[in-house]
Amino acid sequence: MDKDRIIALLNQDLGDEHGAIIQYLTHAYAMGEGEMACEIEATAREEMRHLDWLAETIVELGGVPSLKRGKMRMSGESVAKWMGNDVLLEEGAINQYKEHIELIDDPKIKRVLKRILSDEESHHGDFQHFVDKAEREGAKDIRGNRMDRVVQTLNWGIEHEYTVILQYLFQSYMTTNKEVKKELEDQAINEMQHLGWLAEKLVNISGNPRIEHTEVDQSTKVADMLRADIKIEQEVADEYDRAAKETADPDLKKLLLRLRDHEIYHADVFSALLKEEERQG
Ligand SMILES: [Fe+2]
Ligand SMILES: [Fe+2]
Ligand SMILES: [Fe+2]
């Protein structure tokens, strides 16, 4: 099989991992705190590792990791139904990985896909168990439909965080500068935490987190990447600062100021890297 075809298959897997992550996180956040939500979040983290392995493999082959999110199954009125959707998603993944393992000859890629497949088989069993557990325990969707400025601000934050997670991951895969790659990975992980904090806060105040993103900067030159990142970090730091001043809720204020300080730190890290790059370039 030629490289382009392998890249296309791996990008299909990558998009599906991306869809799985968002589907599982949406479910975990909507259930609030609890053992099952924690386990589902941990599963989403395993899918993130899969996404990472697939993206690195695609880059090794000379390809570009796709940012397209695969199909998600977001319907269902009860937690048990959601868990049923997660079982179906894993079934789809298992079949597709088996197919791709058959099709691809490269032993290293086969090995990675087999490793991922074994995780998906284990997730499949976990979700089957969660269908029963959700029914038995009467697990509930605790999201509300509050729609005011606070909810808008938090959803705006989620949209921003999701966008930069994709942007920093994409850039980290595309750059050959080791120091820049490491910082981008670190900041992407920090932005994932931010997304989680915002979504949890939103659910706690009876809102409904919407996990969508805006346009992702896909510069391939390091200096261009960093300039785009600094700009977005400065914008979001200003916005969190503004929102913190506006709110009367002390917990929300604390959260927003903490986020603001992290974003200022990110902007500083990227600025230092840009200086270094400009000096060398
Ligand atoms: Fe996966
Ligand atoms: Fe952030
Ligand atoms: Fe940031």
Side-chain angles (χ1 to χ4, degrees), residues 171-220:
Q171 294 177 344
S172 78
Y173 300 133
M174 297 306 288
T175 184
T176 51
N177 180 323
K178 283 213 177 95
E179 203 188 348
V180 171
K181 186 182 177 78
K182 192 197 159 282
E183 286 297 346
L184 285 166
E185 280 168 359
D186 270 9
Q187 306 330 323
I189 292 168
N190 194 212
E191 310 295 15
M192 288 175 203
Q193 273 182 302
H194 293 176
L195 193 153
W197 294 342
L198 289 162
E200 277 158 20
K201 178 70 188 173
L202 202 37
V203 170
N204 284 336
I205 63 162
S206 305
N208 184 352
R210 276 185 48 251
I211 314 187
E212 294 299 338
H213 66 86
T214 53
E215 204 188 320
V216 175
D217 182 90
Q218 294 179 48
S219 303
T220 47

Side-chain angles (χ1 to χ4, degrees), residues 55-68:
E56 298 286 6
T57 308
I58 289 164
V59 170
E60 271 172 38
L61 288 167
V64 177
S66 166
L67 291 170
K68 232 177 106 198

Side-chain angles (χ1 to χ4, degrees), residues 160-161 164 190-191 194-195 233 236 240 259 262-263 266:
H160 157 77
E161 301 297 344
V164 290
N190 194 212
E191 310 295 15
H194 293 176
L195 193 153
E233 290 292 350
V236 73
Y240 283 143
L259 292 169
H262 284 182
E263 313 305 7
H266 298 163

